Amino acid sequence: GGGLLRDAAGDPLTQTTTVTLAGAGGPTSGVFQTLTMPANTLGTKGRVLMFEAFGTKTGTNAAFSLQWRLGATAIGTAVNFTLTAAMTWHMYLLIAYVAASSQKYGFYAVPNRDDTGSVTLCGTGTLTKDETTALSVDINCTTKHTNDVVNGEVLAPMVIG
């Protein structure tokens, strides 16, 4: 079946608390929304997990980068947004079970504006994570200007199959 991805107690894993990497001398990298999937969530033939996240960036005109991670392993190349001071971002990730400890992924990112040519807005590849253990999924802000504020607003997980 499909629907919301749930924890072991049956509660939805959707994260809706805003997570902020603050400016004005704040950190230049850090993790946004994080969720942990129970063991064997991905370990079913035909299972696909879909993650959707969105947020905002304010501050300077400096570029910033976001990257999906599974179990602290970077997924693909970081999305490098080269944008004006104020923007919103939206990111998607699909992870498909192939076999034991073998997954395929695809991701894409959508900025609400792109003034100077953002790069790596999509990607595909393979992973080799042990799905029999609990795995975390997060978005890592790999770089940002010290005076920028980057917010992660929602991380919504769904299961297909």
Side-chain angles (χ1 to χ4, degrees), residues 16-90:
T16 57
T17 302
T18 299
V19 178
T20 300
L21 296 178
T28 56
S29 64
V31 173
F32 281 123
Q33 308 284 16
T34 299
L35 60 85
T36 300
M37 302 179 294
N40 297 309
T41 298
L42 188 56
T44 303
K45 186 174 183 176
R47 170 112 348 137
V48 175
L49 302 181
M50 179 179 71
F51 301 89
E52 183 174 358
F54 56 87
T56 61
K57 181 234 185 205
T58 58
T60 72
N61 287 339
F64 76 106
S65 297
L66 299 176
Q67 186 166 36
W68 287 104
R69 298 189 315 173
L70 177 64
T73 299
I75 296 177
T77 303
V79 175
N80 186 28
F81 294 108
T82 52
L83 300 151
T84 60
M87 56 93 56
T88 59
W89 54 268
H90 208 128

Side-chain angles (χ1 to χ4, degrees), residues 90-104:
H90 208 128
M91 293 176 57
Y92 299 88
L93 169 67
L94 291 175
I95 301 174
Y97 175 87
V98 176
S101 299
S102 177
Q103 305 88 30
K104 291 186 178 184

Side-chain angles (χ1 to χ4, degrees), residues 96-119:
Y97 175 87
V98 176
S101 299
S102 177
Q103 305 88 30
K104 291 186 178 184
Y105 71 83
F107 71 87
Y108 66 94
V110 181
N112 73 323
R113 58 184 298 146
D114 190 4
D115 298 333
T116 58
S118 297
V119 295

